[in-house]
Every structure is written in C-alpha cells, then in structure tokens.
Amino acid sequence: MPPKSNNYYNPRLRKYDGKHRNSSTKAEIKIWKTLLRNRMMLGYSFKRQRPIGNYIADFFSPDLKLIIETDGISHWMDGSLEKDVRRENQLQEKGFTVLRFEDSEVMQAIVNVSRAIENWILQEEEKNPDLKKHAL
C-alpha cells in the first residue's frame, strides 16, 4: 500500500486516472469547472480523478483530506451501493472525509452543492485554524 505521507497515492492506478478524466460525466465536468478548479473553493486545491488506495476519487483536496464524489445512476444498480459504502469506510479509515452528491443535484442545484462544500470547509477551519495556511 502507498505511504500515508503521500495521501495513499497509488501509482498503479495512474493508467486509469487519465481515462476517467477523458470520460468524465456532465456532472463531474460541471462541478470541476464551476467550483473546484484553480483554487475556486475558498482557495483550496483540488485534483481530478486522483488514485487513492485502491480507488480513484472523483475529486480530492490534499490539504483538506477531502474527497468529493458525484454519483450517477450507476451507483443505484445492484451491488453498487454496498461497494460505495465499503469504499467510503476504507477511505475514512485512512483519515479522509467523503462528500457525495448525486449528478442531478450537481446539474440542477450547483449552488446547494457549493454551500455544502463551503460549510464543511468552514467547520474544518474552525476545528483546525492551521488549515487556512493552505488556502490562497
């Protein structure tokens, strides 16, 4: 397993992260362009399709140890929900927080998605004032 100091980056999955970026869903593209790229979210850096452990996270902020996932209809198919829960539990055991948003929410209510992420970040900054050093 990759070292903890590198946020469990898994170079063996690197060959897949580009494929994921090139086949992003409309919701992934929207959340990236509207909220997460270029330190748009309260000055924090996010990466797209980041290999972490045995998974590829849709979006990842190393400073916040925050993973943001967008869930389309495939997440409601047989067995997918259980896989998501298992995946989220394993990521939480490694010290990450996972925020999940449905594709429809991203596409139709991006303002609510933005508020939810901002509120989570502000709560984390209250708990850990040193976090603000990482934001612009």
Side-chain angles (χ1 to χ4, degrees):
M1 184 54 58
K4 182 178 178 181
S5 63
N6 195 19
N7 287 310
Y8 298 93
Y9 178 77
N10 187 343
R12 290 177 290 151
L13 295 179
R14 187 161 186 216
K15 61 185 169 189
Y16 302 108
D17 61 2
K19 290 178 185 177
H20 282 255
R21 273 191 296 279
N22 292 332
S23 63
S24 296
T25 66
K26 288 180 182 179
E28 288 171 342
I29 292 167
K30 184 169 186 170
I31 198 171
W32 177 249
K33 288 185 175 182
T34 307
L35 302 179
L36 301 179
R37 71 184 181 128
N38 297 329
R39 295 183 174 265
M40 292 165 72
M41 182 53 66
L42 301 177
Y44 288 95
S45 172
F46 281 84
K47 299 177 183 305
R48 281 175 64 194
Q49 304 301 331
R50 181 69 172 186
I52 298 174
N54 294 320
Y55 306 104
I56 297 179
D58 289 346
F59 305 98
F60 172 62
S61 173
D63 297 324
L64 297 167
K65 296 190 75 69
L66 174 62
I67 294 169
I68 296 175
E69 293 289 317
T70 59
D71 296 340
I73 196 162
S74 66
H75 287 266
W76 297 104
M77 295 181 176
D78 286 342
S80 292
L81 192 57
E82 292 82 13
K83 287 179 190 175
D84 285 344
V85 169
R86 190 170 40 253
R87 171 185 176 166
E88 193 166 325
N89 288 338
Q90 289 176 2
L91 291 167
Q92 288 173 342
E93 287 171 10
K94 291 176 173 32
F96 300 103
T97 298
V98 179
L99 297 181
R100 303 187 88 81
F101 300 97
E102 293 201 25
D103 284 2
S104 60
E105 187 177 10
V106 172
M107 296 306 291
Q108 298 165 11
I110 194 75
V111 172
N112 294 340
V113 173
S114 179
R115 272 193 218 119
I117 298 168
E118 286 175 0
N119 286 338
W120 184 90
I121 292 171
L122 293 172
Q123 289 174 356
E124 289 303 302
E125 286 179 343
E126 270 186 34
K127 293 183 220 171
N128 183 0
D130 289 340
L131 273 179
K132 289 183 184 181
K133 292 178 189 176
H134 298 286
L136 284 177

